[in-house]
Each structure stands twice: as C-alpha cells, then as structure tokens.
Amino acid sequence: MNDMEKYYRGVFENAGIGILVVDRDGRIVEANQALLSMLGYVEGDLSQCTFEEITHPDDREVSSRSLEALMSGEISSCRFEKRYLRKDGSTLWGDISTTSIMDANSKPVRAITVVADITKLKESEQALIDSEEHYRAVFENAGVGINVLDRDGKIVQVNQALLRMLGYNEMDLYEHTFAEITHPDDVEISNRSLEALMCGEKSSYRFEKRYLRKDGMVLWADLSTTSIRGADRKPAKVVGVIADITKRKQAEAELKRYSERLEEMVERRTSELRESENRFRDLVGAMSDLVWEVDRSGVYTYFSPKIGDLLGYEPEDALGATFPSFMSRKEAERISDNVKAIFASRKSFNGLESQHIHGDGHSVFLEISGAPIINSLGQFRGYRGVCRDITKRKEAEDALRQRTQELERSNKDLEQFAYVAAHDLREPLVAIGAYLKVLERLTKNTIEDTGRKCMAKAINLVLRMDAMLQGLLAYSRLTLTPVSYDVTDCNTCLADALLNLGLSIKKSGAVVTSDTLPTVKVNASQLVQIFQNLIGNAIKYRELEPLKIHVGFISKESEYQFSVSDNGTGIEPPYLDRIFNMFERVKDLSGPSGTGIGLSTCRKIVERYGGRIWVDSKLGKGSTFYFTLPKG
C-alpha cells in the first residue's frame, strides 16, 4: 500500500461521519467505524449483508433506484434522505451523498455513500411542526443548533447547542445579525431565503451554508428554516435548525478527490504490481538465500535460481518435490513433527534448522523461515519462505562445542591438580613448621636476637603458607562438590559465623547488628563461610574508633540482596574490582594477615548459586559488601 492509499485509508477509517461502500449488486463491501457505531453494529456484522437489509422498508425502493441509476451510468452521484434500521430495530435518519466508483474502463463498479446522522434534526423538525407546546423543551435541549430571526434578520433567540457550535455566549450573539455570522460567500443566498420566507413565497427553506465562528474558523451547516406567522397570519419570524456538517463536508471533499483519482490509481496500481513482480524476481535472483514456495500439501511450486548453488538442482527439476525429498530418511523423520505442527498452525516460523543432501552427495545445513500464503478470500494456500546456508556456522559450532568440552575437561583436571597439590604440600610444610619450632626451642639461649627474629619470621611465613594452602583446599572443594539446595535459615548461619568469630569480636570490641534474614536454598556451611569471611575482614581492617558492623537484607523481585557494612579503613578505588581475585590483597604483608583467598571463595559460592557479589567503599569511611542469592 503506497502513501496515497494509506492516506485515504486513514480518511475512511477515521472520518467522523458514516461511510459505506457497496458493489453493483448492493452487497456491503466495507463500512467505517463511524457507520458501525451509528447503526449499533461491530466490525464483521455487515460483511454478509446488502444495503437493503439495513434500509427501512419504506425507503428501499428509492435506494434501489438510485443504485441502479449509478451503476448504469445514468448519474454519477445523488443525494437524498433515507431511514436506516439499527441493529436494535430502531430507526436512524441519514442525509446521504452517494458517488459511483469507476474501474479502468470507466465502468461503474462500486458506490461510496457518505451518511450523516440527521435523526435528531428530523426529530426536531417534526417536533416544531407537530406541536408548539413542545417548542421550548426541544429548543433548549436539542442536539442541533436553533436560532430565531426577526423580519430584519436580527437574532432574537438561540439555543445552547448553537452557542457551543459558534463559540459565542448568548449576549454576544444577540448583538449580531445573521448576516454578520455568515460567511461572506453565503450572505446573498441567506438573504434571498429570508426574503422568500418573509414575503410568504415559501414557508420553509433548506440549504447548506457556512457560518463564521467567533474564533474565525468556518463551520459548515445544514440549515432548515421555517417561517412563523404572527397574529395577522403573516410571516413574523424565522426559525433556523442548524446541524454541524463540517466533518461531513471535509470527508466529502476528501472522498471527491479520492473518487477523481481512484481510476488513475487502479491503472497505476496495476502497473506498479507488474513492476513489483519484476523487481521481486530481480531481487530474488540476486539474493544469497534460497526463496521457495509450497502449496497447502507441502509440494514445492517455486524455487529461486539459488537452489543450484545450495543443493545442485535446477529450479524446474526440483518442482513437485516435498520437504523430505532433499534429506536423508533419518533427518526427514526428525523434523516431520515440526513440519506438521507448522502447517497445522498456519503461522509464520523462523530458525528451523535441517540437514539437506546436495546433488553431489555432501551435506548442507539450512536455516528455514517462512510465512503462510493467504489469498484475498482469507484461504490458506501454502507457505513462502527462504533457506539460508548455515553449513559453516554449524561446523564452527561443532568445533566450539568440542573446544568447550576440552576446556571443561582441562578445568576439571586443573581443579583436581590444585586440590591434590594443596593437600600434598601441607604435609611437608607442617613438618617444616614443627622442625622450626623445635629448632627455636633448642636454640633459644644460644643464638642472638637477629637469629631469633629470623627464626620467628620463618615460622610465621610457614604458618601463613599453611593458611593459604588450607584456603586453596577449601576453594578447590567448592568446585569438586555438587551444588546443594538445602532449605537454610540465614539467621542461624549468621549466628554460627559470629560464634566462630567470638574471640576476634570480643578482642576488637566490635558491635555486630543485623536485620531479620530470610530462608534460602543454599548449603548452610557455605553461607556460614560467606558471613564469616566478610565479618572477619571488617574486624581485621578496622580503624581505631569503635567498630560497628551491620548485616542487612532487601527482598527484590527475583532475588535476595544481603549486605555487610562496617566503619573500618575502607578500600582504595583501584582495589574495588581486584579484591575478589585469587591471592589479591589490599594491604601489604606488614598489615593485617590474610591469604587473599577468602573473598575469592565468597564469590565462587555466590556465583555457583546464580548470584553476584560486589563492594562499595570509600577510603577511611568504611565498606559495604553486597551479595545476592536467587529466590526459589
């Protein structure tokens, strides 16, 4: 659909008045939302109806005659009032303008009818004729504008509807004559109608005219005027009933332009379709993907020339084949259920991968995407789509899969090696430490202070290395132990961690507080390890002021977020991302002791359960460590 067609489609669908399109036989081809709302129908209700079925019986004959005259070419347009039947059985009066639509041969094929709801106007007119007793109620409450003029054309009475239409208040409007609020081009016809009514030449008059609103905008109106006789039986006043038809006039103007261009558009559209088909064939021929079509039975009815490059066949030689024709029996059986499901759903599909056999026997992997073919009657006629050669991608995926498996095996070997190495290294290290302590005791009184200091430093280094090996063993056990999802009370785990750190907490004078923590599905001993490491670090890296530690908790949509905050020394910015790496320490060896494994272990535990761990800190103002664990 080109821009012009989109434009007129928007006019049709969004017009404020009813629009109906019928064919030569009176069948309803299309109705816009405004008409459906006017008649109380919803979209689809009128698709099987003729215009006579929604026309009042008394008006069917004149409607049929007008359609016959339009379709025979006797007239090109007509306008009259008629009654429609709403869905609930009530009657709707319509002021209709009908125009014929010609085909490329200038032959009428359809008719467009613009319907303005004048039910209230007709009711108002009838009420004025039937009884003056109801005049005041009708006048004040009518949905259309009403004014009363004296013999000189001065406005003597208006209703609220007219005031709203023209944007005036009542007193402002009384200061004007009808000519002053009439468009200059319509003043003459308005004066003639007033003179004809006042001299008794006519008792009523009806025509379309333009009014000038207070803001300068133009309002189109359908004006019905009736003279009111005085006691002398001569015309004394004129009552005008004014229906706002601005939107209808705008729509009629648009539809007129549309009708004038429709024949040209039909011919041009036909030419464009031919050009589009040629462009389609040129584009398909230049595509690197194979374009195909199948009928509703799954038989190929079209192949682009690309089939020669992908599968080694000429397009005409492959027509009449089905999906399994280019596959091994095993592959055809594998995807048969997918193909059946696609045809049953009659929906678009993407990314169906299958292995095909080239004409020379080698395998070709294709990624298939398609969309259903639906004809103008809404009938399913098959599928149309493309095949993309993904052979190189599949080969790369296989190579990557093999490489991943090799890396996983290598990682497991390295983890096993780290565990065995750490375990086996501890035995001689413990022996060295024992010998150093014995040597320290034996030489206590025989070596100088320098020697004793060296001996003490050597023993401390052995103890530090043993602590590092124990940390490395604990870290290795994490990767060698399956993840367990035990129901664990976080409050109990925190209590166990504080119990383990009891001596350090007492010695440091730290005050530890916490929120009420939730129950999660993690290994309890590993959660204790996280709390113990984070709180232990806060105790280790503290300032001289009293240490305060708080364990917090926030429940989020899909996870629990924990925090351990302190008012300690804080961490320098360069270390914020590095401290979770193995053997990475913020302080040098002269500072508090540490292995550089604790935070790595915390990260390993958290990530094994699908969580995250990070830290916010400012040097000298404390730190807050955060970690998350998923819910459920």
Side-chain angles (χ1 to χ4, degrees), residues 565-604:
S565 304
D566 65 63
N567 62 341
T569 58
I571 302 170
E572 296 180 13
Y575 289 97
L576 292 178
D577 294 328
R578 294 166 47 189
I579 58 175
F580 296 100
N581 297 334
M582 183 74 75
F583 302 122
E584 189 75 54
R585 296 182 61 212
V586 176
K587 303 294 183 178
D588 58 29
L589 293 177
S590 63
S593 62
T595 63
I597 299 176
L599 290 178
S600 300
T601 302
C602 292
R603 182 173 69 177
K604 187 70 173 180

Side-chain angles (χ1 to χ4, degrees), residues 280-309:
F280 169 76
R281 294 191 180 278
D282 292 342
L283 177 62
V284 167
M287 286 178 63
S288 59
D289 295 337
L290 167 64
V291 180
W292 53 265
E293 288 183 7
V294 294
D295 62 19
R296 58 191 306 164
S297 300
V299 176
Y300 284 107
T301 57
Y302 173 78
F303 278 113
S304 65
K306 189 64 179 177
I307 190 174
D309 296 333

Side-chain angles (χ1 to χ4, degrees), residues 101-119:
I101 300 175
M102 307 296 182
D103 61 13
N105 298 318
S106 298
K107 181 180 179 181
V109 291
R110 292 182 178 176
I112 296 180
T113 299
V114 178
V115 182
D117 184 356
I118 60 169
T119 304

Side-chain angles (χ1 to χ4, degrees), residues 84-364:
Y84 287 92
L85 294 176
R86 292 193 179 95
K87 187 175 183 179
D88 61 6
S90 61
T91 299
L92 178 140
W93 272 96
D95 185 344
I96 70 170
S97 296
T98 304
T99 303
S100 60
I101 300 175
M102 307 296 182
D103 61 13
N105 298 318
S106 298
K107 181 180 179 181
V109 291
R110 292 182 178 176
I112 296 180
T113 299
V114 178
V115 182
D117 184 356
I118 60 169
T119 304
K120 292 184 178 179
L121 177 63
K122 297 295 290 186
E123 292 171 351
S124 298
E125 290 177 344
Q126 188 62 40
L128 288 170
I129 294 171
D130 290 343
S131 175
E132 290 187 1
E133 293 179 2
H134 300 291
Y135 168 74
R136 175 56 56 185
V138 172
F139 184 87
E140 293 296 339
N141 301 304
V144 293
I146 304 175
N147 67 357
V148 180
L149 308 178
D150 63 15
R151 297 182 59 87
D152 299 322
K154 186 174 179 60
I155 300 170
V156 296
Q157 196 171 7
V158 294
N159 70 347
Q160 290 298 315
L162 183 60
L163 293 173
R164 288 193 298 269
M165 288 163 58
L166 297 179
Y168 285 94
N169 61 47
E170 192 169 359
M171 296 310 298
D172 285 344
L173 202 55
Y174 287 157
E175 295 176 0
H176 296 279
T177 65
F178 85 95
E180 293 171 342
I181 61 172
T182 298
H183 191 281
D185 294 343
D186 294 338
V187 170
E188 184 178 350
I189 187 175
S190 299
N191 283 331
R192 286 203 308 268
S193 68
L194 179 62
E195 291 172 2
L197 290 169
M198 289 297 100
C199 70
E201 180 182 334
K202 289 188 176 183
S203 62
S204 63
Y205 220 104
R206 180 178 178 181
F207 59 96
E208 294 179 357
K209 64 174 286 186
R210 287 161 290 183
Y211 286 91
L212 294 176
R213 289 172 43 86
K214 186 176 182 179
D215 58 13
M217 299 295 291
V218 174
L219 179 139
W220 270 99
D222 187 323
L223 174 63
S224 295
T225 56
T226 303
S227 61
I228 301 176
R229 297 182 182 275
D232 58 0
R233 307 304 298 168
K234 293 182 180 181
K237 293 181 180 179
V238 172
V239 175
V241 178
I242 302 161
D244 184 353
I245 59 170
T246 305
K247 290 184 178 180
R248 193 195 80 189
K249 295 296 287 187
Q250 292 170 346
E252 285 178 349
E254 296 293 344
L255 287 172
K256 182 179 179 182
R257 287 192 289 270
Y258 174 71
S259 297
E260 291 172 350
R261 298 198 56 185
L262 191 57
E263 296 176 16
E264 176 189 346
M265 290 171 62
V266 169
E267 183 177 353
R268 188 175 62 201
R269 184 59 175 162
T270 302
S271 176
E272 289 174 351
L273 287 173
R274 292 196 197 97
E275 293 177 5
S276 177
E277 182 177 356
N278 293 333
R279 284 196 299 269
F280 169 76
R281 294 191 180 278
D282 292 342
L283 177 62
V284 167
M287 286 178 63
S288 59
D289 295 337
L290 167 64
V291 180
W292 53 265
E293 288 183 7
V294 294
D295 62 19
R296 58 191 306 164
S297 300
V299 176
Y300 284 107
T301 57
Y302 173 78
F303 278 113
S304 65
K306 189 64 179 177
I307 190 174
D309 296 333
L310 291 187
L311 297 177
Y313 297 95
E314 293 298 326
E316 57 271 16
D317 295 336
L319 297 181
T322 58
F323 270 107
S325 300
F326 308 106
M327 305 176 188
S328 66
R329 182 177 178 180
K330 182 178 180 180
E331 180 68 1
E333 291 176 351
R334 184 185 72 82
I335 71 165
S336 62
D337 289 341
N338 288 337
V339 174
K340 290 177 182 177
I342 288 169
F343 270 78
S345 70
R346 299 184 179 181
K347 294 180 179 179
S348 298
F349 67 95
N350 292 290
L352 176 62
E353 296 181 3
S354 61
Q355 184 178 4
H356 293 66
I357 301 174
H358 192 276
D360 63 10
H362 74 270
S363 293
V364 178

